[in-house]
Amino acid sequence: MACESSTLMHLPSEILLQVFQHVNHKDLINLSFVNSLFHSVTADDSLWKTQCDKCFLLQECPEESSWKELFVKYYGNYGDVLGVYPKIRTAWNKIMGYLKKYDKVITGSLLPPATEEQLREAENKLGCRFPDDMRCSLKIYNGQKQGAGPGLLGCIAISTHFRSEKLLDCKTIAENFSVKDDAPLPGCTPITYCCMTQRCQLMSFRDEFGIPNGQIFFPCADEDSKDDDLDAFICGNNYTEWLEELAEIMDKEIFYRIRGCHFRFLDVPDCVSVTRGMFTVKAGSCFMPDLSTVHPPSFFYVYRITMKMHDDAPVYESCQLLSRYWSMTDMDGNEEIVEGPGVVGENPVLIPGEEYSWESGTTFPTTYGNMKGYFTMTSLEKDTEFRIECPVFHMKCQPYETSAQRKERVEERKKNL
């Protein structure tokens, strides 16, 4: 049996302070009621500084507040979502780091945190509580101001289509929720919205309708169905996964920056080719679920090509684009050749330091495809022709589920009831 002098009760307060650094906030509170010594030690502000860091990722404390007071304040706001707070806050910290560096317009469009009253009112309309991760996010920023302007999820554009989705606030999310059988996707509601395309990403709140609870997806028409069924391109299996993916892309700064906005083309370092040591071509692509269908299989991609003549290239190497040549190969190995004059109706000229970019689109009948090719150029001074190579770039669609799979899940659920 351990002797009485070796118990916690007889340790000096300096040692107790070190021991208590390793317990969680609940244990600290319980320990404070054990005796007067423990009550005194657990009141030490250094312990609550540790808890503020562990639970809320806080590194600084206002001069007018103690660490314990700061912990109590944050616990009052986020105590009900404490289990997910570190992940959601980390994601938002990455997003805000990117926005503060590059995009003050979107920063200014973010709405203040949703109050507990606003959340409860929305949840009453939903008939259920927001998932903790989504509830936590809404407590940090309650969506974006709707209307014109860039959306947090980035832009994507071709000549006939422009999409820029904004986050919706908790009230709008709840108002668009329905469990009626005649609703296109009962149990689901939009969480983003693009005012240009009037398209949105939806989230499932009720898995009895065949879509797993928390799944985020783009609906698309099943054109082979006679019942106006909808298939779904899956954007995330839960809100945390969905938000973290966006945050990671922003944190790594691999979105394209075009005309002051971030576009959903990804800047892949190895998707670059250099010709003759002076011409660089870079390619990026983006899957477009809102322009794609599973039935029939037609997967649409937008790609962006940037050609640049190096700053130190000789002026006499200046040239003009005459024609393009593309080799497009789907997942089954079927190749299609596309060639023609110019690009997007133009014949750009390249001189030292100049670059030219354009967007276009293509479809594949399979979930994966790639493109490669070259551009035939003519020298402005030598009247000779040569090729500038374009690197291979890869296109893969998001995972999807069909309406048939959803119906099977509903029937299986009924059998197990």
Side-chain angles (χ1 to χ4, degrees):
M1 180 183 295
C3 62
E4 186 178 352
S5 62
S6 67
T7 65
L8 281 175
M9 301 292 187
H10 295 83
L11 291 175
S13 58
E14 295 83 1
I15 301 300
L16 287 174
L17 184 61
Q18 295 302 313
V19 173
F20 290 174
Q21 288 283 357
H22 301 282
V23 303
N24 62 37
H25 67 281
K26 291 182 179 178
D27 290 335
L28 274 183
I29 294 170
N30 291 333
L31 286 167
S32 71
F33 293 106
V34 172
N35 57 40
S36 58
L37 174 61
F38 283 17
H39 182 80
S40 174
V41 174
T42 56
D44 190 288
D45 219 31
S46 67
L47 295 174
W48 295 100
K49 179 180 179 180
T50 299
Q51 296 304 322
C52 281
D53 182 22
K54 286 182 178 178
C55 298
F56 304 114
L57 312 180
L58 297 171
Q59 303 294 319
E60 297 181 359
C61 181
E63 292 183 3
E64 67 276 8
S65 173
S66 68
W67 282 104
K68 185 173 183 180
E69 290 170 340
L70 187 63
F71 181 89
V72 170
K73 176 183 176 182
Y74 269 73
Y75 191 83
N77 289 335
Y78 303 106
D80 64 321
V81 292
L82 191 56
V84 298
Y85 182 89
K87 281 192 172 185
I88 299 300
R89 173 55 79 179
T90 297
W92 271 110
N93 286 349
K94 290 178 178 179
I95 290 169
M96 293 309 298
Y98 178 89
L99 294 181
K100 288 177 180 178
K101 184 176 180 179
Y102 291 112
D103 209 321
K104 294 181 180 180
V105 174
I106 292 182
T107 302
S109 74
L110 294 170
L111 295 172
T115 65
E116 188 63 29
E117 182 181 358
Q118 289 173 321
L119 288 168
R120 288 180 179 174
E121 183 178 343
E123 288 168 341
N124 286 336
K125 291 181 180 179
L126 283 172
C128 63
R129 178 183 164 91
F130 284 112
D132 280 356
D133 48 5
M134 187 177 193
R135 201 174 205 273
C136 181
S137 183
L138 290 166
K139 284 187 170 192
I140 296 173
Y141 291 106
N142 187 21
Q144 287 182 268
K145 299 173 185 175
Q146 296 302 302
L152 180 67
L153 276 74
C155 306
I156 196 70
I158 53 175
S159 59
T160 58
H161 187 86
F162 180 87
R163 190 181 89 225
S164 185
E165 296 169 77
K166 292 188 174 185
L167 289 180
L168 293 176
D169 61 278
C170 63
K171 180 181 179 182
T172 305
I173 291 170
E175 287 176 344
N176 286 278
F177 180 72
S178 176
V179 294
K180 295 181 179 179
D181 290 337
D182 59 351
L185 285 167
C188 302
T189 187
I191 63 169
T192 69
Y193 184 71
C194 171
C195 65
M196 301 289 289
T197 63
Q198 299 183 348
R199 298 295 298 272
C200 55
Q201 294 183 51
L202 280 73
M203 182 172 177
S204 171
F205 283 80
R206 301 279 287 273
D207 58 6
E208 65 261 38
F209 296 101
I211 300 177
N213 191 25
Q215 188 179 92
I216 299 170
F217 61 94
F218 255 114
C220 65
D222 180 349
E223 296 183 9
D224 291 345
S225 172
K226 298 179 181 179
D227 301 321
D228 296 326
D229 288 327
L230 294 173
D231 298 320
F233 288 104
I234 300 168
C235 306
N237 292 306
N238 54 66
Y239 193 89
T240 300
E241 176 186 298
W242 180 76
L243 189 68
E244 284 184 329
E245 181 182 7
L246 175 67
E248 195 65 21
I249 292 172
M250 287 185 161
D251 187 52
K252 291 180 178 178
E253 298 188 7
I254 55 177
F255 274 143
Y256 275 37
R257 298 290 307 171
I258 305 170
R259 298 184 291 277
C261 299
H262 62 282
F263 277 65
R264 293 191 66 87
F265 304 108
L266 301 185
D267 192 358
V268 182
D270 60 355
C271 199
V272 177
S273 66
V274 179
T275 300
R276 298 172 65 176
M278 66 184 76
F279 299 101
T280 296
V281 177
K282 181 172 70 172
S285 63
C286 177
F287 174 61
M288 298 288 284
D290 46 334
L291 297 179
S292 301
T293 58
V294 178
H295 295 105
S298 178
F299 305 101
F300 191 91
Y301 302 86
V302 175
Y303 58 88
R304 179 179 173 87
I305 307 295
T306 299
M307 303 177 65
K308 181 175 181 178
M309 188 172 181
H310 297 186
D311 296 349
D312 57 356
V315 175
Y316 61 79
E317 296 286 359
S318 299
C319 54
Q320 184 172 24
L321 188 149
L322 294 179
S323 63
R324 68 192 185 279
Y325 172 94
W326 290 120
S327 168
M328 300 182 290
T329 307
D330 68 21
M331 190 166 61
D332 296 329
N334 300 311
E335 183 183 27
E336 180 184 1
I337 303 298
V338 175
E339 52 188 326
V343 288
V344 292
E346 297 186 7
N347 298 89
V349 171
L350 291 182
I351 60 175
E354 289 291 318
E355 70 175 34
Y356 179 80
S357 299
W358 71 94
E359 296 92 21
S360 190
T362 190
T363 58
F364 284 97
T366 57
T367 57
Y368 165 82
N370 65 60
M371 289 179 63
K372 61 182 178 180
Y374 59 82
F375 309 101
T376 300
M377 314 294 292
T378 181
S379 172
L380 296 182
E381 292 191 13
K382 300 178 182 179
D383 196 28
T384 57
E385 294 184 4
F386 63 95
R387 293 178 180 177
I388 292 180
E389 300 294 328
C390 180
V392 178
F393 53 101
H394 305 273
M395 290 162 278
K396 182 176 176 59
C397 81
Q398 294 168 207
Y400 60 78
E401 282 193 339
T402 66
S403 59
Q405 288 175 303
R406 187 170 69 250
K407 289 176 181 178
E408 287 176 9
R409 192 180 290 120
V410 171
E411 291 303 315
E412 188 66 27
R413 179 186 176 90
K414 289 178 180 178
K415 290 178 183 178
N416 294 330
L417 290 178

